[in-house]
Amino acid sequence: MNKKDIANIRKQFKLNNDLLKINEIFNVYIMKESSEVYHHQSTPFELLEDEQKELFMANFKKVLTGQLDQKLFELKFHREAEDNSQLILHQGLLSSDMEEWKEHMLRLVEKMLNDKQYEMDIVVTFIRGEYMKPMKRQSEEAEESERDTVYSNSFILCSMNKTQDPKKELLFDYVEKEFKYNIVVDPIINLKAPISGFLFPCFTDNAADVNHVLYSAGKANELNYHFIEEVLNAEEIMTAEEDKIVFEEIVKKVAGERINTSTLSNVYDEIYHVIEESEEEEEVPKLDYKDVERVLKSSGVKDVDTEKVEEAFKTVIDDEKYELKANNIVPKPTSKSIKIKTKIADISISPQDLRFVRQIHFGGKLSLMIEVEENTMIEGFELIPEVLFEKVENEED
């Protein structure tokens, strides 16, 4: 799934939407002390009150919110795993019997509890529904409405949420005209910040892909590997942060530990060009060792060859065939995403402005020089330009 596919289904989670039908909602309460199922309950979603529906809708949208490879990850199932979750989910998706559907979901919950101790009570919520997307009209002359023909796909969405103790509050009773201490013992289910979740199957170009599942992490770049490997039975995945670290280490192996801003800026420009070309073809842009070699050569890095880059891939990631996702290894081009840290100050600049920054030696000291197009303002004051480099004429004897 790309970000457009995810956005299309995420925006459907709203009340009174005829393009999204949620059949059942199944809640399972897990006790932290025993790591056992304390209670479970299945209800037709339509029977919930609107206020409850809105809470859950917001929760489901949270599961589907975040950057790809940072918070959301398309995972491939490991088919050789015992008690394969792909099969469980597929059977649950096709099941027409309510009790059978619940049994499939409880099997997944059992896997969540296997060799896992939670720090707080957990509520796992499953929904089964149908997502519909209108087909695009072939031409403006077409008589039928775009709602007449739709893509229709069934799905299962899971959301894991922690509980928290109720707040201790002092209330005022208008009728009795007295202050009262509010005593609530029921735990509060925090639906605003799901700690994990998934969507099955994935959807690509309006087609269901049952070989992949969309995993949602609680926080960016913080994966629950027990959930990925033992619950979903999915293959190993790299985060965007890990991809970036791998790329940086590969460049260091090839070009050395030190690099100037001009060369680094050229490297980013080359990769941005790859991304732009891939966007036209609607493909996920990736770089293998041959692509990295070309990028470094085009950027002005000296002594680069295929053998050197291939060896760097082997050393850093132990896989010379590994492909880096281009979007993961460069700063965001539309924001001040490059952070320059010094003991004196921290500076944030956009990638296209990196070429205006230089590290120089001046007066026997290491200095950072930034080329600007206009006078600089500090605390409302306009700085006076200072001439630091002056030509000294030789005096005549």
Side-chain angles (χ1 to χ4, degrees), residues 91-317:
Q91 289 174 335
L93 199 64
L94 300 177
S95 176
S96 59
D97 181 76
M98 176 70 74
E99 292 301 317
E100 187 178 332
W101 138 262
K102 287 166 56 177
E103 287 302 316
H104 289 309
M105 296 306 100
L106 286 173
R107 283 174 65 190
L108 289 176
V109 173
E110 288 177 9
K111 298 177 76 169
M112 294 178 191
L113 301 177
N114 188 30
D115 299 324
K116 178 69 176 178
Q117 181 72 45
Y118 293 99
E119 297 178 355
M120 70 290 288
D121 290 359
I122 299 292
V123 174
V124 184
T125 300
F126 297 97
I127 58 169
R128 184 169 57 162
E130 188 178 9
Y131 160 57
M132 290 160 280
K133 184 181 178 184
M135 292 184 181
K136 292 182 180 179
R137 294 186 184 183
Q138 298 298 321
S139 65
E140 293 183 1
E141 290 77 19
E143 294 182 1
E144 64 177 346
S145 167
E146 64 177 10
R147 287 292 183 93
D148 291 344
T149 309
V150 297
Y151 296 102
S152 177
N153 287 292
S154 299
F155 69 89
I156 292 173
L157 185 141
C158 169
S159 175
M160 291 184 68
N161 303 280
K162 63 183 179 180
T163 62
Q164 57 192 42
D165 294 330
K167 294 180 180 179
K168 298 177 181 179
E169 298 173 322
L170 188 66
L171 305 180
F172 180 71
D173 189 328
Y174 278 102
V175 178
E176 300 295 333
K177 294 183 179 180
E178 63 178 355
F179 294 96
K180 292 182 178 180
Y181 178 62
N182 184 34
I183 302 175
V184 179
V185 296
D186 296 331
I188 296 172
I189 303 169
N190 185 6
L191 294 176
K192 295 181 179 180
I195 60 173
S196 197
F198 66 82
L199 172 72
F200 173 84
C202 285
F203 298 99
T204 304
D205 295 330
N206 304 308
D209 177 7
V210 297
N211 294 316
H212 290 82
V213 60
L214 185 71
Y215 163 71
S216 175
K219 295 181 180 179
N221 295 305
E222 294 184 14
L223 306 188
N224 183 337
Y225 290 101
H226 173 269
F227 195 89
I228 292 172
E229 298 170 8
E230 303 300 329
V231 179
L232 295 177
N233 303 134
E235 295 183 355
E236 188 177 347
I237 192 73
M238 292 278 283
T239 68
E241 188 176 67
E242 290 169 335
D243 249 358
K244 189 173 187 297
I245 293 172
V246 167
F247 177 69
E248 291 172 354
E249 291 302 314
I250 288 171
V251 173
K252 288 177 183 178
K253 290 289 182 184
V254 177
E257 295 282 340
R258 306 177 71 183
I259 193 170
N260 60 45
T261 53
S262 177
T263 302
L264 185 58
S265 181
N266 290 339
V267 169
Y268 291 155
D269 286 344
E270 289 290 330
I271 298 175
Y272 289 138
H273 184 62
V274 171
I275 295 172
E276 289 173 2
E277 289 182 339
S278 298
E279 284 179 348
E280 295 175 0
E281 301 173 2
E282 295 186 354
E283 294 181 356
V284 177
K286 295 182 179 180
L287 303 175
D288 60 15
Y289 72 92
K290 293 181 181 178
D291 297 317
V292 172
E293 177 192 359
R294 180 187 56 77
V295 165
L296 296 181
K297 281 184 176 179
S298 301
S299 302
V301 178
K302 298 179 180 179
D303 302 325
V304 178
D305 57 53
T306 303
E307 185 179 347
K308 199 171 184 180
V309 178
E310 189 176 5
E311 183 61 31
F313 268 76
K314 288 181 182 179
T315 303
V316 175
I317 199 169

Side-chain angles (χ1 to χ4, degrees), residues 303-359:
D303 302 325
V304 178
D305 57 53
T306 303
E307 185 179 347
K308 199 171 184 180
V309 178
E310 189 176 5
E311 183 61 31
F313 268 76
K314 288 181 182 179
T315 303
V316 175
I317 199 169
D318 195 27
D319 182 6
E320 69 275 16
K321 304 297 182 182
Y322 183 75
E323 293 181 320
L324 297 155
K325 291 185 179 180
N327 287 296
N328 293 347
I329 61 179
V330 289
K332 292 182 180 179
T334 56
S335 63
K336 294 183 178 181
S337 51
I338 294 181
K339 311 299 180 184
I340 302 173
K341 295 186 176 183
T342 70
K343 289 185 177 180
I344 303 299
D346 293 342
I347 304 169
S348 298
I349 62 171
S350 59
Q352 58 264 33
D353 294 330
L354 181 59
R355 62 184 71 252
F356 300 117
V357 179
R358 295 285 186 276
Q359 182 171 270

Side-chain angles (χ1 to χ4, degrees), residues 61-73 193-197 214-223 239-240:
K61 290 179 75 170
K62 286 281 186 181
V63 172
L64 298 174
T65 299
Q67 296 293 322
L68 277 168
D69 298 324
Q70 295 182 24
K71 193 171 179 295
L72 299 175
F73 301 83
I195 60 173
S196 197
L214 185 71
Y215 163 71
S216 175
K219 295 181 180 179
N221 295 305
E222 294 184 14
L223 306 188
T239 68

Side-chain angles (χ1 to χ4, degrees), residues 354-381:
L354 181 59
R355 62 184 71 252
F356 300 117
V357 179
R358 295 285 186 276
Q359 182 171 270
I360 63 172
H361 284 283
F362 173 72
K365 295 182 179 180
L366 200 61
S367 300
L368 192 68
M369 183 178 73
I370 303 176
E371 181 184 334
V372 295
E373 297 180 351
E374 55 188 18
N375 286 342
T376 305
M377 300 293 294
I378 295 181
E379 295 293 332
F381 293 95

Side-chain angles (χ1 to χ4, degrees), residues 372-377 381-390:
V372 295
E373 297 180 351
E374 55 188 18
N375 286 342
T376 305
M377 300 293 294
F381 293 95
E382 184 176 323
L383 295 186
I384 300 173
E386 300 179 42
V387 179
L388 300 178
F389 303 94
E390 296 182 348

